[in-house]
PDB file of all heavy atoms in Angstrom:
ATOM      1  N   ASP U 100     160.118 -65.699  93.272  1.00 98.00           N
ATOM      2  CA  ASP U 100     158.727 -66.245  93.098  1.00 98.00           C
ATOM      3  C   ASP U 100     157.764 -65.093  92.814  1.00 98.00           C
ATOM      4  O   ASP U 100     158.157 -64.031  92.463  1.00 98.00           O
ATOM      5  CB  ASP U 100     158.327 -67.091  94.313  1.00 98.00           C
ATOM      6  CG  ASP U 100     158.280 -66.289  95.644  1.00 98.00           C
ATOM      7  OD1 ASP U 100     158.373 -65.038  95.585  1.00 98.00           O
ATOM      8  OD2 ASP U 100     158.189 -66.970  96.702  1.00 98.00           O
ATOM      9  N   GLY U 101     156.541 -65.403  92.963  1.00 98.00           N
ATOM     10  CA  GLY U 101     155.487 -64.447  92.625  1.00 98.00           C
ATOM     11  C   GLY U 101     155.061 -64.654  91.197  1.00 98.00           C
ATOM     12  O   GLY U 101     154.883 -65.809  90.762  1.00 98.00           O
ATOM     13  N   LEU U 102     154.920 -63.575  90.433  1.00 98.00           N
ATOM     14  CA  LEU U 102     154.408 -63.674  89.091  1.00 98.00           C
ATOM     15  C   LEU U 102     155.488 -64.153  88.082  1.00 98.00           C
ATOM     16  O   LEU U 102     155.912 -63.399  87.179  1.00 98.00           O
ATOM     17  CB  LEU U 102     153.768 -62.377  88.670  1.00 98.00           C
ATOM     18  CG  LEU U 102     152.610 -61.870  89.516  1.00 98.00           C
ATOM     19  CD1 LEU U 102     152.174 -60.425  89.140  1.00 98.00           C
ATOM     20  CD2 LEU U 102     151.425 -62.847  89.433  1.00 98.00           C
ATOM     21  N   VAL U 103     155.909 -65.373  88.269  1.00 98.00           N
ATOM     22  CA  VAL U 103     156.952 -65.935  87.397  1.00 98.00           C
ATOM     23  C   VAL U 103     156.496 -67.328  86.936  1.00 98.00           C
ATOM     24  O   VAL U 103     155.680 -67.988  87.586  1.00 98.00           O
ATOM     25  CB  VAL U 103     158.346 -66.089  88.101  1.00 98.00           C
ATOM     26  CG1 VAL U 103     158.921 -64.726  88.517  1.00 98.00           C
ATOM     27  CG2 VAL U 103     158.218 -67.018  89.284  1.00 98.00           C
ATOM     28  N   HIS U 104     157.053 -67.792  85.781  1.00 98.00           N
ATOM     29  CA  HIS U 104     156.704 -69.099  85.249  1.00 98.00           C
ATOM     30  C   HIS U 104     157.397 -70.147  86.106  1.00 98.00           C
ATOM     31  O   HIS U 104     156.804 -71.176  86.412  1.00 98.00           O
ATOM     32  CB  HIS U 104     157.198 -69.250  83.827  1.00 98.00           C
ATOM     33  CG  HIS U 104     156.411 -68.435  82.828  1.00 98.00           C
ATOM     34  ND1 HIS U 104     155.048 -68.750  82.511  1.00 98.00           N
ATOM     35  CD2 HIS U 104     156.691 -67.383  82.044  1.00 98.00           C
ATOM     36  CE1 HIS U 104     154.579 -67.867  81.663  1.00 98.00           C
ATOM     37  NE2 HIS U 104     155.600 -67.054  81.364  1.00 98.00           N
ATOM     38  N   ARG U 105     158.670 -69.912  86.440  1.00 98.00           N
ATOM     39  CA  ARG U 105     159.404 -70.983  87.176  1.00 98.00           C
ATOM     40  C   ARG U 105     160.027 -70.363  88.455  1.00 98.00           C
ATOM     41  O   ARG U 105     161.074 -69.711  88.387  1.00 98.00           O
ATOM     42  CB  ARG U 105     160.601 -71.450  86.298  1.00 98.00           C
ATOM     43  CG  ARG U 105     160.192 -72.148  85.076  1.00 98.00           C
ATOM     44  CD  ARG U 105     161.409 -72.365  84.117  1.00 98.00           C
ATOM     45  NE  ARG U 105     161.925 -71.109  83.603  1.00 98.00           N
ATOM     46  CZ  ARG U 105     161.403 -70.432  82.558  1.00 98.00           C
ATOM     47  NH1 ARG U 105     160.327 -70.873  81.954  1.00 98.00           N
ATOM     48  NH2 ARG U 105     161.991 -69.246  82.188  1.00 98.00           N
ATOM     49  N   PRO U 106     159.403 -70.557  89.649  1.00 98.00           N
ATOM     50  CA  PRO U 106     160.005 -70.099  90.905  1.00 98.00           C
ATOM     51  C   PRO U 106     161.397 -70.718  91.017  1.00 98.00           C
ATOM     52  O   PRO U 106     161.588 -71.934  90.666  1.00 98.00           O
ATOM     53  CB  PRO U 106     159.029 -70.569  91.933  1.00 98.00           C
ATOM     54  CG  PRO U 106     157.738 -70.788  91.242  1.00 98.00           C
ATOM     55  CD  PRO U 106     158.080 -71.189  89.838  1.00 98.00           C
ATOM     56  N   LEU U 107     162.365 -69.927  91.541  1.00 98.00           N
ATOM     57  CA  LEU U 107     163.762 -70.411  91.624  1.00 98.00           C
ATOM     58  C   LEU U 107     164.189 -70.376  93.058  1.00 98.00           C
ATOM     59  O   LEU U 107     163.721 -69.515  93.884  1.00 98.00           O
ATOM     60  CB  LEU U 107     164.674 -69.542  90.751  1.00 98.00           C
ATOM     61  CG  LEU U 107     164.361 -69.345  89.297  1.00 98.00           C
ATOM     62  CD1 LEU U 107     165.300 -68.307  88.699  1.00 98.00           C
ATOM     63  CD2 LEU U 107     164.538 -70.727  88.576  1.00 98.00           C
ATOM     64  N   ASP U 108     165.163 -71.281  93.363  1.00 98.00           N
ATOM     65  CA  ASP U 108     165.913 -71.188  94.594  1.00 98.00           C
ATOM     66  C   ASP U 108     167.370 -71.271  94.177  1.00 98.00           C
ATOM     67  O   ASP U 108     167.868 -72.261  93.808  1.00 98.00           O
ATOM     68  CB  ASP U 108     165.598 -72.397  95.539  1.00 98.00           C
ATOM     69  CG  ASP U 108     164.215 -72.184  96.183  1.00 98.00           C
ATOM     70  OD1 ASP U 108     164.027 -71.320  97.004  1.00 98.00           O
ATOM     71  OD2 ASP U 108     163.292 -72.970  95.792  1.00 98.00           O
ATOM     72  N   LEU U 109     168.058 -70.094  94.231  1.00 98.00           N
ATOM     73  CA  LEU U 109     169.388 -69.979  93.752  1.00 98.00           C
ATOM     74  C   LEU U 109     170.444 -69.879  94.875  1.00 98.00           C
ATOM     75  O   LEU U 109     170.482 -68.842  95.552  1.00 98.00           O
ATOM     76  CB  LEU U 109     169.483 -68.710  92.831  1.00 98.00           C
ATOM     77  CG  LEU U 109     168.618 -68.724  91.594  1.00 98.00           C
ATOM     78  CD1 LEU U 109     168.579 -67.332  90.966  1.00 98.00           C
ATOM     79  CD2 LEU U 109     169.148 -69.725  90.592  1.00 98.00           C
ATOM     80  N   PRO U 110     171.248 -70.914  95.049  1.00 98.00           N
ATOM     81  CA  PRO U 110     172.275 -70.788  96.038  1.00 98.00           C
ATOM     82  C   PRO U 110     173.350 -69.786  95.669  1.00 98.00           C
ATOM     83  O   PRO U 110     173.384 -69.376  94.469  1.00 98.00           O
ATOM     84  CB  PRO U 110     172.879 -72.202  96.149  1.00 98.00           C
ATOM     85  CG  PRO U 110     172.454 -72.897  94.901  1.00 98.00           C
ATOM     86  CD  PRO U 110     171.224 -72.210  94.414  1.00 98.00           C
ATOM     87  N   LEU U 111     174.133 -69.329  96.608  1.00 98.00           N
ATOM     88  CA  LEU U 111     175.157 -68.338  96.324  1.00 98.00           C
ATOM     89  C   LEU U 111     176.044 -68.828  95.221  1.00 98.00           C
ATOM     90  O   LEU U 111     176.418 -68.026  94.361  1.00 98.00           O
ATOM     91  CB  LEU U 111     175.980 -68.050  97.621  1.00 98.00           C
ATOM     92  CG  LEU U 111     176.791 -66.759  97.655  1.00 98.00           C
ATOM     93  CD1 LEU U 111     175.945 -65.544  97.262  1.00 98.00           C
ATOM     94  CD2 LEU U 111     177.334 -66.605  99.028  1.00 98.00           C
ATOM     95  N   SER U 112     176.418 -70.079  95.185  1.00 97.00           N
ATOM     96  CA  SER U 112     177.296 -70.607  94.176  1.00 97.00           C
ATOM     97  C   SER U 112     176.694 -70.462  92.752  1.00 97.00           C
ATOM     98  O   SER U 112     177.411 -70.210  91.781  1.00 97.00           O
ATOM     99  CB  SER U 112     177.615 -72.101  94.477  1.00 97.00           C
ATOM    100  OG  SER U 112     176.423 -72.839  94.548  1.00 97.00           O
ATOM    101  N   ALA U 113     175.372 -70.613  92.682  1.00 98.00           N
ATOM    102  CA  ALA U 113     174.726 -70.444  91.374  1.00 98.00           C
ATOM    103  C   ALA U 113     174.790 -68.975  90.912  1.00 98.00           C
ATOM    104  O   ALA U 113     175.080 -68.716  89.739  1.00 98.00           O
ATOM    105  CB  ALA U 113     173.276 -70.862  91.462  1.00 98.00           C
ATOM    106  N   LEU U 114     174.576 -68.051  91.877  1.00 98.00           N
ATOM    107  CA  LEU U 114     174.704 -66.631  91.498  1.00 98.00           C
ATOM    108  C   LEU U 114     176.120 -66.298  91.060  1.00 98.00           C
ATOM    109  O   LEU U 114     176.369 -65.502  90.141  1.00 98.00           O
ATOM    110  CB  LEU U 114     174.306 -65.735  92.693  1.00 98.00           C
ATOM    111  CG  LEU U 114     172.859 -65.824  93.147  1.00 98.00           C
ATOM    112  CD1 LEU U 114     172.598 -65.023  94.370  1.00 98.00           C
ATOM    113  CD2 LEU U 114     171.882 -65.423  92.034  1.00 98.00           C
ATOM    114  N   GLN U 115     177.120 -66.953  91.733  1.00 98.00           N
ATOM    115  CA  GLN U 115     178.555 -66.633  91.453  1.00 98.00           C
ATOM    116  C   GLN U 115     178.971 -67.287  90.101  1.00 98.00           C
ATOM    117  O   GLN U 115     179.893 -66.870  89.494  1.00 98.00           O
ATOM    118  CB  GLN U 115     179.423 -67.158  92.595  1.00 98.00           C
ATOM    119  CG  GLN U 115     179.218 -66.361  93.842  1.00 98.00           C
ATOM    120  CD  GLN U 115     179.810 -66.997  95.101  1.00 98.00           C
ATOM    121  OE1 GLN U 115     180.116 -68.200  95.100  1.00 98.00           O
ATOM    122  NE2 GLN U 115     179.996 -66.256  96.123  1.00 98.00           N
ATOM    123  N   ALA U 116     178.243 -68.356  89.691  1.00 98.00           N
ATOM    124  CA  ALA U 116     178.579 -69.038  88.481  1.00 98.00           C
ATOM    125  C   ALA U 116     177.967 -68.386  87.232  1.00 98.00           C
ATOM    126  O   ALA U 116     178.362 -68.629  86.092  1.00 98.00           O
ATOM    127  CB  ALA U 116     178.077 -70.491  88.538  1.00 98.00           C
ATOM    128  N   MET U 117     177.010 -67.465  87.467  1.00 98.00           N
ATOM    129  CA  MET U 117     176.370 -66.713  86.351  1.00 98.00           C
ATOM    130  C   MET U 117     177.339 -65.674  85.770  1.00 98.00           C
ATOM    131  O   MET U 117     178.308 -65.298  86.464  1.00 98.00           O
ATOM    132  CB  MET U 117     175.119 -66.019  86.802  1.00 98.00           C
ATOM    133  CG  MET U 117     173.945 -66.951  87.184  1.00 98.00           C
ATOM    134  SD  MET U 117     172.550 -65.993  87.829  1.00 98.00           S
ATOM    135  CE  MET U 117     171.983 -65.225  86.286  1.00 98.00           C
TER     136      MET U 117
END
Side-chain angles (χ1 to χ4, degrees):
Chain U
D100 61 12
L102 299 172
V103 295
H104 289 293
R105 295 169 294 279
L107 303 174
D108 287 291
L109 297 167
L111 196 51
S112 57
L114 295 176
Q115 291 167 343
M117 292 179 69

